[in-house]
Amino acid sequence: MTERIRESFSLAELAERFGGTVIGDGATRIRQVAPLETAGPNELSFLTNRKYHKLLSTTRAGAVLLPEGSANATQLPRIVCKNPYASYARIASLINPEDRPAPGIHPEAFVDAKASVAASAAIGAFAVIESGVEVGEFAVIGPNSFVGREARIGAHTRLHASVTIYHDCVIGERVILHSGVVIGADGFGMAMDEGRWLKIPQIGRVVIGDDVEVGASTTIDRGALDDTVIEEGVKLDNQIQIGHNCHIGAHTAVAGCTGIAGSTRIGKYCMLGGSAMISGHLTIADSVVVSGGTLVAKSITEPGTYTAVFPMQPHAQWLKNAALVRHLDELMRRVRDLENEVKRLGRG
Amino acid sequence: MTERIRESFSLAELAERFGGTVIGDGATRIRQVAPLETAGPNELSFLTNRKYHKLLSTTRAGAVLLPEGSANATQLPRIVCKNPYASYARIASLINPEDRPAPGIHPEAFVDAKASVAASAAIGAFAVIESGVEVGEFAVIGPNSFVGREARIGAHTRLHASVTIYHDCVIGERVILHSGVVIGADGFGMAMDEGRWLKIPQIGRVVIGDDVEVGASTTIDRGALDDTVIEEGVKLDNQIQIGHNCHIGAHTAVAGCTGIAGSTRIGKYCMLGGSAMISGHLTIADSVVVSGGTLVAKSITEPGTYTAVFPMQPHAQWLKNAALVRHLDELMRRVRDLENEVKRLGRG
Amino acid sequence: MTERIRESFSLAELAERFGGTVIGDGATRIRQVAPLETAGPNELSFLTNRKYHKLLSTTRAGAVLLPEGSANATQLPRIVCKNPYASYARIASLINPEDRPAPGIHPEAFVDAKASVAASAAIGAFAVIESGVEVGEFAVIGPNSFVGREARIGAHTRLHASVTIYHDCVIGERVILHSGVVIGADGFGMAMDEGRWLKIPQIGRVVIGDDVEVGASTTIDRGALDDTVIEEGVKLDNQIQIGHNCHIGAHTAVAGCTGIAGSTRIGKYCMLGGSAMISGHLTIADSVVVSGGTLVAKSITEPGTYTAVFPMQPHAQWLKNAALVRHLDELMRRVRDLENEVKRLGRG
């Protein structure tokens, strides 16, 4: 980790800012957050799960964040609060503020004369801002990034290095787009005609709400006719593919490598596990959890957790069981035959 | 959608250009294409599937494209034609022509003195064109793109922003490469020797035929000794990985997130669903359809649709069934025991 | 393949450099390596698998590399050696040396005044090197690449075009990073608080050992608190996602499209097949092989091969068997009923 000199805070200050009750020495100085196993005397750690209770007896942390039910699980200085993980997030952000570049357009950037860039925004080296683009207050456009004509980038939004925004797309406020993200490429739309694929122009946009974060190399295609919409607060991990005309509800979180095919509508507060695959033209209700690796081939109308994963086994055992899966219909037939034969014997 | 002023066309003009029979007012002006649900009076919609017939009674579209069997399914002005979806693709392209940059080399691009760029081609800001490269007539190299030494880019081909072409690769005519595409990186080839991997130089190229489209962040590796070949008319969606020495037959379409391992040969007119995985060194016949999420571990010699997906269930049910899959061999043994016992009882 | 004039070597020279015994004409000139099927008289081919023995009778290769057990499988000039595939790798590298750019900073690159770049290093056009960065001897930073503040790039390491390294990350020596690679983006860490996700700052780094190769568009996230670590000699294919705080043991090889979720620890000398998915917070022992397409949802403590793939079938057959899998619990119940009934009958 970088060894910059950081501000320190007393435990009492932290509780005052973010809530919770201090037990023990409120003057304890906190310079950083750290896991229970490695924290040192100026570091604050946290407990979110009872199964880690035993780590409290060996930790060298200076102080700990504890949930209300575990207030006395240690004698260390501590803040007892409702949601220690959320408090940890807020304190970690206070101690480790984002390092944003200073406002201004880098002399090596290219900004079209017909683009509008807020004076408080920062445009990195070799970034390209095309005509008609609007870049909001305090926004950051990273080096080597591209913002196509007429696109809008909201206030406080950050594009890291090498992000691509195609023309006309709209990015909300406080959005974070990591390197390699591509927003607004053409959706996969074509018509077969006499042995050749005809391209269907993709004339919709991508519209991304406020407070969305998009991980490295994730791609979101523009709509064919209507827009592709990512509502506010959605969190997308790396290497996700979202097809044209999808609509992702607010505060839904999607883990890495997941693919969502075109025109699918996903509810609010859903959680999609890594490497999941959602087929096209489906509707997924609010608060649905899809396990990692699961292919969803039909709509889901009820909240709950859904799974479709072949269980892992040592290869030799898998070979046997996979062969049996291929012949389940035969097994079923044999069971039916047995049932008939046993019925006959019973009557005998 | 962008609110640019577009040319309008009469229904009669459109039928004359693209075929089909006008029924109703051929003077109806069309300014845009739109879905039946949202189309307005100057917009043309289309019907491709009988199950949407009922939308015809409520649509506010100015006119509709209909298949021959449904010529009288509405009283709206209409064009009746063989393949309404193909006609829609052509009309949408006429109304929404691609916005290509003007010819010329951007003053902020870097073009090596030994590269050859057609006068009608456009090279974007911060693009890099290395020595020996040939860029054909009307080709577009997007901002921040890279074309390595001796690579060839065919006429009318477009690289969007941030596309990477490694040295010596050959891209055909009218090809579209979306942002984040990487063509010609080294294949995954190495030999284990005394506990260390030795890199095997990848000295083949990638050769891409005419009229290919490649989606955002798709990667196609160069061949180890021979070339990796993508034949004409192939359509690749986003985030696809194609290993070294693969050969993809003409007009095959591959949906997003699919991986094709090295040296696999895929036929013409295949369709591979999203998140499919094709193992290496296989041969897939022409006109094969692979369902989304399917792992193909052996060659396919006959056309048809192939699937390998664990069925999705609510998690609690999945847990029970997955446990049973792990012990199918035991279930089979119990059925065999039953069969023997029933036979014995029958002989009683 | 590129038609540059290459140096030629005699078979005897090659055996002297890389080991093995020459049988036949040691003066045979070798200009290139090639597969048995296509090799010509100045080309060296190799046999690694007995099942290709018959190709030896028809090959037009000038010479062949053979394993010790097959020394007399051909009359062609040959080098007999322990590990022909490793010898082939070494000879191919000798004949096809990497084409590295000349040392120096391209006039169109941006190097911060507070960065340190070795005189023997090469920085490409439109590359960005931020303050505090160290670029080692003979390192190559490709065009349009970005190296964030305080990052370190080891000697002889090569970043191809459009590679992104976030701040503070450490890349070892002789590392190869292909285009589109993103190292050190924020991990997927957030806490839910009153209906909104709070971002957890990701303050760890990515630390990559010596002799690692990373394929195109692979992403490796920085640690949340501790570092994400890729040990020496690891080989990663394209489009792999590695979550925050993962630890990949030395010389492990991972095939394309695989996802490894956060905080998972993978041993040394593992091989993970393509499109595999490893859940978070697991431990995988050394020398584990995971088949392509397999989801690993729990830790693996013993070496061996592990698989979890639904077997592929023609779609109609799959439909039947998938339906039966969904109702395996019912099948099991029927088998139990049969067992009871047969027991009753047996007592009858």
Coordinates of all heavy atoms in Angstrom, one line a residue, chain A residues 95-150:
Chain A
I95 N -10.6 8.4 5.5 CA -9.2 8.3 5.7 C -8.4 8.2 4.4 O -7.3 8.6 4.2 CB -8.8 7.0 6.6 CG1 -9.4 7.2 8.0 CG2 -7.3 6.8 6.6 CD1 -9.2 6.0 8.9
N96 N -9.1 7.6 3.4 CA -8.5 7.4 2.1 C -9.3 8.1 1.0 O -9.9 7.5 0.1 CB -8.5 5.9 1.7 CG -7.7 5.1 2.8 OD1 -6.5 5.0 2.8 ND2 -8.5 4.5 3.7
P97 N -9.2 9.4 1.0 CA -10.0 10.2 0.0 C -9.5 9.9 -1.4 O -8.3 9.6 -1.6 CB -9.8 11.6 0.4 CG -8.5 11.7 1.1 CD -8.4 10.3 1.8
E98 N -10.4 9.9 -2.4 CA -10.0 9.6 -3.8 C -9.0 10.7 -4.2 O -9.1 11.9 -3.9 CB -11.2 9.7 -4.6 CG -11.1 9.1 -6.0 CD -12.2 9.6 -6.9 OE1 -13.2 10.0 -6.4 OE2 -12.0 9.4 -8.2
D99 N -8.0 10.3 -5.0 CA -7.0 11.2 -5.5 C -7.4 11.7 -6.9 O -7.3 10.9 -7.9 CB -5.7 10.5 -5.6 CG -4.5 11.4 -5.9 OD1 -4.8 12.6 -6.2 OD2 -3.4 11.0 -5.9
R100 N -8.1 12.8 -7.0 CA -8.6 13.3 -8.3 C -7.6 14.3 -8.9 O -7.1 15.1 -8.1 CB -10.0 13.9 -8.1 CG -11.1 12.9 -7.9 CD -12.4 13.5 -7.6 NE -13.2 13.7 -8.7 CZ -14.2 12.9 -9.2 NH1 -14.4 11.8 -8.5 NH2 -14.9 13.2 -10.2
P101 N -7.5 14.3 -10.2 CA -6.6 15.2 -10.8 C -7.1 16.7 -10.7 O -8.3 16.9 -10.5 CB -6.6 14.8 -12.3 CG -7.7 13.9 -12.4 CD -8.1 13.3 -11.1
A102 N -6.2 17.6 -10.7 CA -6.6 19.0 -10.6 C -7.5 19.4 -11.8 O -7.3 18.8 -12.9 CB -5.4 19.9 -10.6
P103 N -8.4 20.4 -11.7 CA -9.2 20.8 -12.8 C -8.3 21.3 -14.0 O -7.2 21.7 -13.8 CB -10.0 22.0 -12.2 CG -9.9 21.8 -10.7 CD -8.6 21.1 -10.5
G104 N -8.9 21.3 -15.1 CA -8.2 21.8 -16.3 C -8.1 20.8 -17.4 O -8.2 19.6 -17.2
I105 N -7.9 21.3 -18.6 CA -7.7 20.5 -19.8 C -6.2 20.3 -20.0 O -5.5 21.2 -20.2 CB -8.4 21.1 -21.0 CG1 -9.9 21.2 -20.7 CG2 -8.1 20.3 -22.3 CD1 -10.7 22.0 -21.8
H106 N -5.8 19.0 -20.0 CA -4.4 18.7 -20.3 C -4.0 19.3 -21.6 O -4.7 19.1 -22.6 CB -4.2 17.2 -20.2 CG -2.7 16.8 -20.1 ND1 -1.9 16.9 -21.2 CD2 -2.0 16.3 -19.1 CE1 -0.7 16.4 -20.8 NE2 -0.8 16.1 -19.5
P107 N -2.8 19.9 -21.7 CA -2.4 20.4 -23.0 C -2.4 19.4 -24.2 O -2.5 19.8 -25.3 CB -1.0 21.0 -22.8 CG -0.6 20.5 -21.4 CD -1.8 20.1 -20.7
E108 N -2.2 18.1 -23.8 CA -2.2 17.1 -24.8 C -3.6 16.4 -25.1 O -3.6 15.4 -25.7 CB -1.2 16.0 -24.5 CG 0.2 16.5 -24.1 CD 1.1 16.6 -25.4 OE1 0.5 16.5 -26.5 OE2 2.3 16.8 -25.2
A109 N -4.6 17.0 -24.5 CA -6.0 16.4 -24.8 C -6.5 17.1 -26.1 O -6.0 18.2 -26.5 CB -6.9 16.7 -23.6
F110 N -7.5 16.5 -26.7 CA -8.2 17.1 -27.8 C -9.6 17.4 -27.5 O -10.4 16.4 -27.3 CB -8.1 16.3 -29.1 CG -8.8 16.9 -30.2 CD1 -8.3 18.0 -30.9 CD2 -10.1 16.5 -30.6 CE1 -9.0 18.7 -31.9 CE2 -10.8 17.2 -31.6 CZ -10.2 18.2 -32.2
V111 N -10.0 18.6 -27.3 CA -11.4 19.0 -27.0 C -11.9 19.8 -28.2 O -11.4 20.8 -28.6 CB -11.5 19.8 -25.7 CG1 -12.9 20.2 -25.5 CG2 -10.9 19.0 -24.6
D112 N -13.0 19.3 -28.8 CA -13.5 20.0 -30.0 C -14.1 21.4 -29.6 O -14.6 21.5 -28.5 CB -14.7 19.1 -30.5 CG -15.2 19.7 -31.9 OD1 -16.0 20.6 -31.8 OD2 -14.8 19.2 -32.9
A113 N -14.0 22.3 -30.5 CA -14.4 23.7 -30.2 C -15.8 23.7 -29.8 O -16.3 24.6 -29.1 CB -14.1 24.6 -31.4
K114 N -16.6 22.8 -30.3 CA -18.1 22.8 -30.0 C -18.4 22.0 -28.8 O -19.6 21.7 -28.6 CB -18.8 22.4 -31.2 CG -18.9 23.5 -32.3 CD -19.8 23.1 -33.5 CE -19.2 23.6 -34.8 NZ -19.2 22.5 -35.8
A115 N -17.5 21.5 -28.0 CA -17.8 20.8 -26.8 C -17.8 21.8 -25.6 O -17.2 22.9 -25.7 CB -16.7 19.8 -26.5
S116 N -18.5 21.4 -24.5 CA -18.7 22.3 -23.4 C -18.1 21.6 -22.1 O -18.7 20.6 -21.7 CB -20.1 22.7 -23.2 OG -20.4 23.0 -21.9
V117 N -17.0 22.1 -21.6 CA -16.4 21.4 -20.5 C -16.4 22.4 -19.3 O -15.9 23.5 -19.4 CB -14.9 21.1 -20.8 CG1 -14.2 20.5 -19.6 CG2 -14.9 20.1 -22.0
A118 N -16.9 22.0 -18.1 CA -17.0 22.8 -17.0 C -15.6 23.2 -16.5 O -14.6 22.4 -16.7 CB -17.7 22.1 -15.8
A119 N -15.4 24.4 -16.0 CA -14.1 24.9 -15.6 C -13.5 24.0 -14.5 O -12.3 23.8 -14.4 CB -14.2 26.3 -15.1
S120 N -14.4 23.4 -13.7 CA -13.9 22.6 -12.6 C -13.6 21.1 -13.0 O -13.1 20.3 -12.2 CB -14.9 22.6 -11.5 OG -16.2 22.1 -12.0
A121 N -13.9 20.8 -14.2 CA -13.6 19.4 -14.7 C -12.1 19.3 -15.1 O -11.4 20.2 -15.4 CB -14.5 19.1 -15.9
A122 N -11.7 18.0 -15.2 CA -10.3 17.7 -15.5 C -10.3 16.7 -16.7 O -11.0 15.7 -16.7 CB -9.6 17.0 -14.4
I123 N -9.6 17.1 -17.8 CA -9.5 16.3 -19.0 C -8.1 15.8 -19.1 O -7.2 16.6 -19.2 CB -9.9 17.1 -20.2 CG1 -11.2 17.8 -20.0 CG2 -10.0 16.2 -21.5 CD1 -12.5 17.0 -19.9
G124 N -7.8 14.5 -19.1 CA -6.5 14.0 -19.1 C -5.8 14.0 -20.5 O -6.4 14.3 -21.5
A125 N -4.5 13.6 -20.5 CA -3.7 13.6 -21.7 C -4.3 12.7 -22.7 O -4.7 11.6 -22.4 CB -2.3 13.2 -21.3
F126 N -4.3 13.1 -24.0 CA -4.7 12.3 -25.1 C -6.2 11.8 -25.0 O -6.6 10.9 -25.7 CB -3.8 11.0 -25.3 CG -2.4 11.4 -25.2 CD1 -1.5 10.8 -24.4 CD2 -1.9 12.4 -26.1 CE1 -0.1 11.2 -24.3 CE2 -0.5 12.8 -26.0 CZ 0.3 12.2 -25.2
A127 N -7.0 12.5 -24.1 CA -8.4 12.3 -24.2 C -9.0 13.0 -25.4 O -8.4 14.0 -25.8 CB -9.0 12.8 -22.9
V128 N -10.1 12.5 -25.9 CA -10.8 13.1 -27.0 C -12.2 13.4 -26.6 O -12.9 12.5 -26.2 CB -10.8 12.1 -28.2 CG1 -11.6 12.7 -29.4 CG2 -9.3 11.8 -28.7
I129 N -12.6 14.7 -26.8 CA -13.9 15.1 -26.5 C -14.5 15.7 -27.8 O -14.0 16.7 -28.2 CB -13.9 16.2 -25.4 CG1 -13.0 15.8 -24.2 CG2 -15.3 16.6 -25.0 CD1 -13.6 14.7 -23.3
E130 N -15.5 15.0 -28.3 CA -16.0 15.4 -29.6 C -17.0 16.6 -29.5 O -17.4 17.0 -28.4 CB -16.6 14.2 -30.3 CG -15.6 13.2 -30.8 CD -16.1 12.3 -31.9 OE1 -17.3 12.0 -31.9 OE2 -15.3 11.8 -32.7
S131 N -17.5 17.0 -30.6 CA -18.4 18.2 -30.7 C -19.7 17.9 -30.0 O -20.2 16.8 -30.0 CB -18.6 18.6 -32.1 OG -19.5 17.7 -32.7
G132 N -20.2 18.9 -29.4 CA -21.5 18.8 -28.7 C -21.5 18.2 -27.4 O -22.6 18.1 -26.7
V133 N -20.4 17.6 -27.0 CA -20.3 17.0 -25.7 C -20.4 18.0 -24.5 O -19.9 19.1 -24.6 CB -18.9 16.2 -25.5 CG1 -18.7 15.8 -24.1 CG2 -18.9 15.0 -26.5
E134 N -21.1 17.6 -23.4 CA -21.1 18.4 -22.2 C -20.4 17.6 -21.1 O -20.8 16.5 -20.8 CB -22.5 18.7 -21.8 CG -23.2 19.7 -22.7 CD -24.7 19.9 -22.3 OE1 -25.0 19.8 -21.1 OE2 -25.5 20.1 -23.2
V135 N -19.4 18.2 -20.5 CA -18.8 17.6 -19.3 C -19.1 18.4 -18.1 O -18.8 19.6 -18.1 CB -17.2 17.5 -19.6 CG1 -16.5 16.9 -18.3 CG2 -16.9 16.7 -20.8
G136 N -19.7 17.8 -17.1 CA -20.2 18.6 -15.9 C -19.2 19.0 -14.9 O -18.0 18.6 -15.0
E137 N -19.6 19.8 -13.9 CA -18.7 20.3 -12.9 C -18.0 19.1 -12.2 O -18.6 18.1 -11.8 CB -19.5 21.1 -11.9 CG -20.2 22.3 -12.4 CD -19.2 23.4 -12.7 OE1 -18.1 23.3 -12.3 OE2 -19.6 24.4 -13.4
F138 N -16.7 19.4 -12.0 CA -15.9 18.4 -11.2 C -15.8 17.0 -11.8 O -15.3 16.1 -11.2 CB -16.3 18.3 -9.8 CG -16.3 19.7 -9.1 CD1 -17.5 20.4 -8.9 CD2 -15.1 20.2 -8.6 CE1 -17.5 21.6 -8.3 CE2 -15.1 21.5 -8.0 CZ -16.3 22.2 -7.8
A139 N -16.2 16.9 -13.1 CA -16.1 15.6 -13.7 C -14.6 15.4 -14.1 O -13.8 16.3 -14.3 CB -17.0 15.5 -15.0
V140 N -14.2 14.1 -14.2 CA -12.8 13.8 -14.6 C -12.9 12.8 -15.8 O -13.6 11.8 -15.8 CB -12.1 13.1 -13.5 CG1 -10.7 12.6 -13.9 CG2 -11.9 14.0 -12.3
I141 N -12.2 13.2 -16.9 CA -12.1 12.4 -18.1 C -10.7 11.9 -18.1 O -9.8 12.7 -18.3 CB -12.5 13.1 -19.4 CG1 -13.8 13.8 -19.2 CG2 -12.4 12.2 -20.6 CD1 -15.0 12.9 -19.0
G142 N -10.5 10.6 -17.9 CA -9.1 10.0 -17.8 C -8.3 10.1 -19.1 O -8.9 10.3 -20.2
P143 N -7.0 9.9 -19.0 CA -6.2 9.9 -20.2 C -6.6 8.8 -21.2 O -7.1 7.8 -20.8 CB -4.8 9.5 -19.6 CG -4.9 9.8 -18.2 CD -6.3 9.7 -17.8
N144 N -6.4 9.1 -22.5 CA -6.8 8.2 -23.5 C -8.2 7.8 -23.6 O -8.6 6.8 -24.3 CB -5.9 6.9 -23.4 CG -4.4 7.2 -23.5 OD1 -3.7 7.0 -22.5 ND2 -4.0 7.6 -24.7
S145 N -9.1 8.5 -22.9 CA -10.5 8.2 -23.0 C -11.1 9.0 -24.2 O -10.6 9.9 -24.7 CB -11.2 8.6 -21.7 OG -11.0 7.7 -20.7
F146 N -12.3 8.5 -24.6 CA -13.0 9.1 -25.8 C -14.4 9.3 -25.4 O -15.1 8.4 -24.9 CB -12.9 8.1 -26.9 CG -13.8 8.4 -28.1 CD1 -13.4 9.4 -29.0 CD2 -15.0 7.8 -28.2 CE1 -14.2 9.7 -30.1 CE2 -15.9 8.2 -29.3 CZ -15.5 9.1 -30.2
V147 N -14.9 10.5 -25.7 CA -16.3 10.8 -25.5 C -16.9 11.3 -26.8 O -16.5 12.4 -27.3 CB -16.5 11.9 -24.4 CG1 -18.0 12.1 -24.1 CG2 -15.8 11.5 -23.1
G148 N -17.8 10.5 -27.4 CA -18.3 10.8 -28.7 C -19.3 12.0 -28.8 O -19.8 12.4 -27.7
R149 N -19.5 12.5 -29.9 CA -20.3 13.7 -30.1 C -21.7 13.6 -29.4 O -22.3 12.6 -29.4 CB -20.5 13.9 -31.6 CG -21.3 12.9 -32.3 CD -21.4 13.1 -33.8 NE -21.6 11.8 -34.5 CZ -22.8 11.2 -34.4 NH1 -23.8 11.7 -33.8 NH2 -22.9 10.0 -35.0
E150 N -22.0 14.8 -28.8 CA -23.3 15.0 -28.2 C -23.5 14.2 -26.9 O -24.6 14.2 -26.3 CB -24.5 14.7 -29.1 CG -24.4 15.4 -30.4 CD -24.8 16.9 -30.4 OE1 -25.4 17.3 -29.4 OE2 -24.4 17.6 -31.3

